[in-house]
Amino acid sequence: MTFAYPAPTITAELDYEALRDQRFAAFIAQWNGYRARNPNAGLPEFTTATLANSMEAIALGAAADGDLYFVGRANAVARAAVLVDFAYGADLDLHGLDTRVPGHPEGVTRHPEEGDEDYAARIREARAGSSAAGPDDWWLTHARAADSRVRSIGLDYKGLGELEIYVLSKDNGGIPDEAMIEAVTERLMRRNVRPRTATPIVKSAIIAEIDVVAYVWLHPEASENRLDILKAAALAQNEKDQALDRDLTHHYLKRLIDAPDVYDIAITSPATDLPAGPSRAYAIRSMELILAGRNR
């Protein structure tokens, strides 16, 4: 799982030297107190300098190792309990239960075979869309709860309480099947999900297929089959990026194809940027990369 920010410190920083110094200081204080109470016992005096070269230092170092493990473990447990980004497995399931509200009486439960990354994304969406019929995430949360194959949705408010909701699938080129449409419709029409002021009408996303043609200049040392590799990577990334209401621009296509050994790219098809909308998503039907030359 990837994190958008560094792991926060919950209990304390992981610092072995500081923990060992604390153990040394505590030992010296207790030892000197014992010597003061037993002046005739002939016990040696310990200072930080003499303690560092003694057998006692080994035991204190081992104790500091234990302290370090405890602090690290406490930090990890606290992060998993408090922050969904650091939870996985059963801990993540508990975060799903914590999303229970009237619109989600069962919380966000894990779909069969759903991985931690996708499940955590749905939990975050549920929290973002916890206000009934307010933010768009409310509808997305329930659409994904109805069917795990839902990639995204597009909302088109028609006025007079009519709301068209377009569903984009993770498979089948983005086109949802009838079972998905029915499941999403049933979920969104529930009385504890649908506000009285809106009637959702669930529809399939419109997938516009396009052909991409681009001239590519490579660095001199680039391999002969480099264009084939760039094309395969671009098509795979575009499939992951597919979304409703996202324009297909020359800038985006160049970013798909670009790599450290690419000198320049010129897109010739499509001729211009293509606007999208809440009902439309783009799919690249074919991609032709033409070697225009080599330069640095």
Side-chain angles (χ1 to χ4, degrees), residues 114-125 144 148 170:
E114 185 174 27
D116 284 342
E117 186 172 354
D118 288 342
Y119 185 38
R122 290 202 300 118
I123 292 172
R124 287 190 291 269
E125 287 164 357
R144 283 188 169 164
S148 63
K170 293 179 180 178

Side-chain angles (χ1 to χ4, degrees), residues 5-280:
Y5 45 84
T9 296
I10 306 296
T11 302
E13 293 286 353
L14 294 178
D15 189 336
Y16 172 77
E17 297 297 331
L19 293 171
R20 191 182 65 170
D21 290 345
Q22 291 174 13
R23 285 284 183 174
F24 278 19
F27 174 81
I28 291 172
Q30 293 184 34
W31 181 262
N32 288 339
Y34 186 82
R35 287 181 69 242
R37 292 190 299 272
N38 299 273
N40 299 321
L43 299 174
E45 180 181 1
F46 278 118
T47 65
T48 301
T50 58
L51 183 61
N53 298 315
S54 67
M55 293 295 294
E56 288 77 6
I58 298 176
L60 294 173
D65 280 332
D67 295 339
L68 189 71
Y69 172 81
F70 171 78
V71 171
R73 181 60 179 162
N75 281 339
V77 170
R79 291 180 198 126
V82 176
L83 303 171
V84 68
D85 282 354
F86 293 88
Y88 57 89
D91 289 333
L92 195 56
D93 292 327
L94 293 177
H95 279 278
L97 292 176
D98 193 46
T99 61
R100 287 176 292 190
V101 294
H104 278 287
E106 72 280 12
V108 178
T109 56
R110 191 190 295 263
H111 290 301
E113 308 303 324
E114 185 174 27
D116 284 342
E117 186 172 354
D118 288 342
Y119 185 38
R122 290 202 300 118
I123 292 172
R124 287 190 291 269
E125 287 164 357
R127 289 172 175 171
S130 60
S131 174
D136 293 353
D137 284 329
W138 171 263
W139 300 105
L140 177 59
T141 295
H142 285 281
R144 283 188 169 164
D147 194 309
S148 63
R149 297 172 296 159
V150 172
R151 181 188 295 274
S152 65
I153 62 172
L155 306 179
D156 190 2
Y157 294 93
K158 296 296 186 180
L160 299 178
E162 184 176 326
L163 170 63
E164 292 183 349
I165 298 180
Y166 294 88
V167 178
L168 183 69
S169 175
K170 293 179 180 178
D171 53 19
N172 196 34
I175 301 295
D177 56 26
E178 193 61 32
M180 185 185 300
I181 296 294
E182 291 178 357
V184 173
T185 299
E186 186 280 328
R187 177 84 181 197
L188 299 187
M189 289 296 291
R190 291 181 184 180
R191 293 185 61 186
N192 60 355
V193 174
R194 178 181 67 87
R196 295 183 179 181
T197 56
T199 301
I201 301 173
V202 181
K203 298 183 177 182
S204 170
I206 299 170
I207 307 300
E209 295 185 330
I210 63 161
D211 299 311
V212 175
V213 179
Y215 286 87
V216 182
W217 286 260
L218 296 175
H219 287 182
E221 69 276 10
S223 62
E224 291 297 324
N225 68 335
R226 187 63 174 131
L227 292 184
D228 293 333
I229 297 172
L230 292 174
K231 174 182 174 179
L235 291 174
Q237 185 60 48
N238 175 250
E239 186 176 353
K240 294 179 181 179
D241 292 343
Q242 189 181 47
L244 292 162
D245 207 8
R246 178 180 294 172
D247 296 345
L248 188 78
T249 66
H250 282 198
H251 176 72
Y252 168 72
L253 292 173
K254 287 181 179 180
R255 285 197 296 108
L256 275 183
I257 302 168
D258 199 14
D261 56 356
V262 172
Y263 176 75
D264 198 7
I265 302 168
I267 307 295
T268 60
S269 178
T272 61
D273 294 343
L274 300 176
S279 65
R280 181 183 297 269

